[in-house]
Amino acid sequence: MFTKESFSVNGEALLKKVKELIEEGNVRKITITDKTGKEIMTFPLTIGVVGALMLPMLAAVGALAALIGECTITVEREEDKKDDREIIQL
């Protein structure tokens, strides 16, 4: 099951926020839209995508941040799986 969360940021804070979201680790997909709602960039994040594989994506986000004023980041997260079983203590 997935949940969606949105953040409004200006261009200067875009790259910083994307890096923070990636570091959280439970993000499946990030979508960046402009203030009119037009999708500018979307990229999936899978487990194990780190380091050199992230550099081209972060470079593109950095270039976008220089050009865009205000935007919205929509994050699709994996919900934590909770164990619904009752713990029985003896």
Side-chain angles (χ1 to χ4, degrees), residues 50-57:
V50 291
L53 297 176
M54 296 301 293
L55 291 177
M57 188 236 6

Side-chain angles (χ1 to χ4, degrees), residues 2-78:
F2 303 108
T3 58
K4 287 191 178 185
E5 186 176 1
S6 294
F7 304 94
S8 291
V9 295
N10 62 11
E12 299 167 0
L14 178 62
L15 185 58
K16 181 180 176 185
K17 186 64 177 177
V18 169
K19 285 181 180 180
E20 287 174 10
L21 291 168
I22 292 169
E23 289 174 5
E24 288 179 18
N26 64 343
V27 176
R28 293 271 302 169
K29 184 168 90 170
I30 296 176
T31 304
I32 301 171
T33 55
D34 65 7
K35 59 185 172 185
T36 63
K38 181 180 176 186
E39 186 178 301
I40 298 172
M41 184 181 292
T42 186
F43 44 92
L45 298 173
T46 57
I47 296 171
V49 176
V50 291
L53 297 176
M54 296 301 293
L55 291 177
M57 188 236 6
L58 291 174
V61 171
L64 177 65
L67 298 174
I68 196 167
E70 196 174 315
C71 64
T72 302
I73 302 172
T74 304
V75 180
E76 188 176 287
R77 299 177 186 269
E78 288 185 23

